[in-house]
Amino acid sequence: MIKSYLQSAYRNLLKHKGATLIKLAGLGIGMACCMLILVYLVDELSYNKFNVHYRDIYRVNFNKAGEGQENINATTPFPVGPAIAQNIPQAAAVARLYNRSGIMEAAGNGQEQKFQEQGVWFSDSSLLDIFSLQFAEGGPGALAAPNSVVITTEMAKKYFGAISARGKSLLYENKTLLQVTAVVEKLPAASDLQFDFLISFPTVYSVENKANGDFMRSNWLYNPAETYVLLQPGQQAEALQPALRQLTKKYGDERVAKSYFLSLQPLSEIHLHAAAVQGNPSTNSITYIYIFAAIALLILLIANINFINLSNAQSLTRISEIGIRKVSGAGSRQLLMQFLGEGLLLSFAAFLLALLITLPGLSLLNNITGKTLNTAALYNAKTLVVFTGLFLCTGLLGGLYPAVFITRFRLTALLKGKTGYRAGGRPVRQLLVITQFAVALALIIGAVVINRQLQFLRNKPLGFQKDQLLVIPLFGKSPSLLGSGVDGPLRARMNAFEDELRRYSRVDAVTLASVLPGSSYVRGLVIPEGHKEQDN
């Protein structure tokens, strides 16, 4: 019987090619837009979930309270990690991360190739127990020894080619010799933690000068490090908050004890629930997820309303067919299945069309969002389940009402060539049309407003001529925030570099700056005359 329904539905769809193509195109494009938005949402909601201990991993935030407001920082002072490990027995592992860009080169290979690397992090060895890394060479104990480094497979190929990188040496910042103890796969794109190099944490004290190293090791106010905690299974973060708040009072000076405290934030919240946290790797917000989900539903609603209205209008041309079927003994249930089958069949065809549209649409989505999603994002298990649910809901929503509408025609009226409804159903159809145009108008207005805002951001005069300007970072994007000072020889080399650039006729002007204006700020420790060090 199902086969008979499908054959009949197929013949009817072919018989009304024009209406079928219009419904197919409208529903297919609507479903494709909805699918692309869903792919984006699934990706956003999957961040950091690849970690085995996803539910038990927390980031330690450094909070400042006072003056009627609270500032939350995603980074903490260096001593926080050891203090938690010593005082919080519920913590199974604690790890610190400190990002410090620098010059890297393969040592002892006879090639003078140096690269300014941004993805250089100093890390405690316990990080390898907290986060789920895939080892290509080596294992979890790779960062146990000082001056050891774990690199990604991309960096292994970059510096050592096809040969094994484990056991090889890298020279960091022209002075610190590092031994490669493990090679790991690059973390998934859906990870807020990204790195190219992980250097054993104690090494940072030998990279910095002694004064800076001693300061960073003991100071409870300077906070350049991220700290992650893996709790014992079954432990609740809320129960640890009182003990955490006591750490700044126990170890910090008077200023820290008075105004600062520590808190735990779940790894599950870092990507979409921590945009207001200073230094958070993600500025995305769950609010945008709700907005995009609403837009997807509205687009799908428009497509379905269009489908329903066209199906209802088309049904009026099939009065004789419905009458003959009823005379032949077809009941309401058979007719309902017949026309619902047509709706599902057309919905399935639109679903296949939508899948084809999403392939080129994915590159457009990547350009808009800055992501690197590929076809695997379309056809993995999660998205296929979501797409299947989308198809079933769309088919039922788009086909059920027309089927009910058609099967309610009275036999006596059908035999006279009439539907039997002079005004019946008209309010519903009018409501659908009004809703369709209202939603479409709202989306169009929203799109125009957002586009004008983006154009304003792109074209607003910045107060200086930005064209024909070239910025060369001499010290990378994230060197030591404390800085080691510019000594005489380094200053001389910088001046020589500046003078050499001026010799080029096509170079109009050259200048040096501590930071690129607008990108950061200069940090410095200032103690006014007459003040004590603790008053700075």
Side-chain angles (χ1 to χ4, degrees):
M1 183 173 292
I2 295 177
K3 181 179 179 181
S4 174
Y5 288 153
L6 292 176
Q7 287 177 342
S8 179
Y10 177 71
R11 288 195 296 267
N12 277 298
L13 291 176
L14 286 182
K15 183 179 178 181
H16 304 88
K17 294 184 179 66
T20 299
L21 288 175
I22 293 174
K23 291 192 290 185
L24 179 64
L27 198 57
I29 294 173
M31 292 177 72
C33 294
C34 190
M35 284 180 180
L36 288 172
I37 295 176
L38 287 176
V39 168
Y40 173 80
L41 297 184
V42 168
D43 181 72
E44 285 291 297
L45 294 171
S46 67
Y47 262 71
N48 303 314
K49 291 185 177 180
F50 68 94
N51 291 289
V52 174
H53 305 297
Y54 172 72
R55 295 296 178 186
D56 296 318
I57 299 175
Y58 293 81
R59 184 184 64 198
V60 182
N61 289 337
F62 192 49
N63 309 315
K64 180 183 180 182
E67 300 177 356
Q69 61 181 0
E70 179 178 312
N71 294 323
I72 305 176
N73 291 275
T75 54
T76 63
F78 275 24
V80 166
I84 293 176
Q86 294 172 13
N87 294 271
I88 308 294
Q90 295 88 343
V94 183
R96 295 166 293 176
L97 278 168
Y98 171 51
N99 182 217
R100 189 186 189 282
S101 66
I103 298 171
M104 196 75 73
E105 64 177 307
N109 64 354
Q111 298 181 0
E112 299 253 340
Q113 286 187 316
K114 299 182 179 181
F115 299 92
Q116 179 71 45
E117 299 288 0
Q118 307 299 328
V120 180
W121 294 78
F122 290 84
S123 167
D124 287 312
S125 59
S126 52
L127 184 84
L128 306 181
D129 300 319
I130 297 177
F131 290 92
S132 301
L133 306 181
Q134 301 296 322
F135 285 88
E137 299 180 52
L143 291 176
N147 290 64
S148 55
V149 59
V150 174
I151 65 177
T152 62
T153 51
E154 291 183 5
M155 294 299 105
K157 184 177 181 180
K158 177 179 178 178
Y159 284 90
F160 303 107
I163 64 175
S164 173
R166 190 181 182 192
K168 299 296 189 297
S169 296
L170 290 168
L171 189 63
Y172 176 64
E173 288 288 79
N174 299 312
K175 62 179 180 180
T176 304
L177 193 64
L178 306 172
Q179 184 180 31
V180 179
T181 53
V183 179
V184 298
E185 300 292 339
K186 190 174 181 64
L187 288 176
S191 172
D192 284 310
L193 171 62
Q194 295 290 342
F195 64 86
D196 295 318
F197 304 84
L198 287 179
I199 304 173
S200 57
F201 202 87
T203 311
V204 71
Y205 301 118
S206 61
V207 171
E208 300 283 358
N209 62 47
K210 187 177 185 307
N212 285 349
D214 292 343
F215 174 81
M216 297 165 75
R217 192 194 303 267
S218 59
N219 187 271
W220 272 77
L221 193 59
Y222 177 57
N223 58 316
E226 296 179 18
T227 304
Y228 291 92
V229 176
L230 174 64
L231 297 185
Q232 301 280 1
Q235 295 294 331
Q236 300 297 321
E238 293 78 9
L240 307 181
Q241 292 297 149
L244 275 175
R245 294 180 73 101
Q246 291 301 315
L247 293 182
T248 51
K249 294 178 172 58
K250 180 178 179 180
Y251 294 101
D253 60 20
E254 183 180 349
R255 292 169 303 170
V256 174
K258 179 181 178 181
S259 302
Y260 291 86
F261 64 95
L262 304 173
S263 63
L264 295 179
Q265 184 159 38
L267 183 65
S268 58
E269 293 184 0
I270 288 177
H271 189 68
L272 294 174
H273 299 271
V277 178
Q278 297 180 25
N280 193 68
S282 170
T283 57
N284 293 357
S285 172
I286 191 65
T287 302
Y288 299 125
I289 300 300
Y290 296 145
I291 292 174
F292 292 143
I295 291 174
L297 290 176
L298 289 176
I299 292 174
L300 192 61
L301 178 64
I302 292 175
N304 274 279
I305 290 176
N306 183 67
F307 180 85
I308 291 170
N309 286 334
L310 289 174
S311 296
N312 286 353
Q314 186 182 355
S315 67
L316 299 178
T317 67
R318 301 175 63 180
I319 297 174
S320 299
E321 176 194 343
I322 298 170
I324 293 173
R325 286 182 178 276
K326 284 199 170 188
V327 169
S328 301
S332 296
R333 181 175 178 275
Q334 285 79 13
L335 289 173
L336 180 67
M337 294 295 293
Q338 170 67 42
F339 290 102
L340 183 59
E342 289 185 19
L344 286 172
L345 183 61
L346 188 59
S347 178
F348 181 70
F351 175 69
L352 296 180
L353 175 63
L355 287 177
L356 293 176
I357 295 175
T358 54
L359 291 175
L362 195 60
S363 60
L364 178 62
L365 178 67
N366 287 334
N367 291 334
I368 294 173
T369 63
K371 290 183 177 292
T372 55
L373 299 171
N374 52 35
T375 53
L378 290 174
Y379 305 123
N380 61 40
K382 290 182 180 179
T383 51
L384 285 178
V385 169
V386 174
F387 287 173
T388 303
L390 174 66
F391 153 65
L392 292 175
C393 291
T394 302
L396 291 174
L397 182 64
L400 188 58
Y401 177 75
V404 172
F405 175 76
I406 293 171
T407 55
R408 290 177 63 190
F409 294 162
R410 291 190 295 271
L411 179 60
T412 54
L414 291 172
L415 293 176
K416 296 178 181 179
K418 301 178 181 180
T419 64
Y421 289 94
R422 286 189 295 271
R426 185 177 297 173
V428 176
R429 293 196 298 273
Q430 290 176 341
L431 178 63
L432 290 176
V433 172
I434 293 173
T435 302
Q436 180 182 9
F437 280 98
V439 172
L441 185 62
L443 290 175
I444 291 172
I445 292 174
V448 170
V449 171
I450 292 173
N451 182 66
R452 292 186 65 180
Q453 288 178 325
L454 292 175
Q455 292 299 325
F456 174 76
L457 288 173
R458 292 191 183 105
N459 302 320
K460 183 185 186 307
L462 301 178
F464 66 94
Q465 181 63 38
K466 61 183 173 59
D467 297 327
Q468 302 300 106
L469 289 181
L470 179 64
V471 178
I472 303 174
L474 299 180
F475 302 106
K477 293 183 179 179
S478 56
S480 172
L481 294 179
L482 293 174
S484 55
V486 178
D487 56 19
L490 178 57
R491 179 78 238 189
R493 297 208 312 273
M494 292 168 64
N495 290 339
F497 177 66
E498 183 180 7
D499 293 338
E500 185 68 23
L501 288 176
R502 294 183 189 278
R503 296 179 183 178
Y504 288 88
S505 59
R506 288 180 290 181
V507 174
D508 186 60
V510 183
T511 189
L512 297 171
S514 300
V515 294
L516 186 65
S519 66
S520 182
Y521 53 89
V522 179
R523 292 192 181 203
L525 182 62
V526 178
I527 305 176
E529 184 178 0
H531 286 242
K532 298 179 181 179
E533 183 177 356
Q534 59 266 30
D535 296 328
N536 66 69

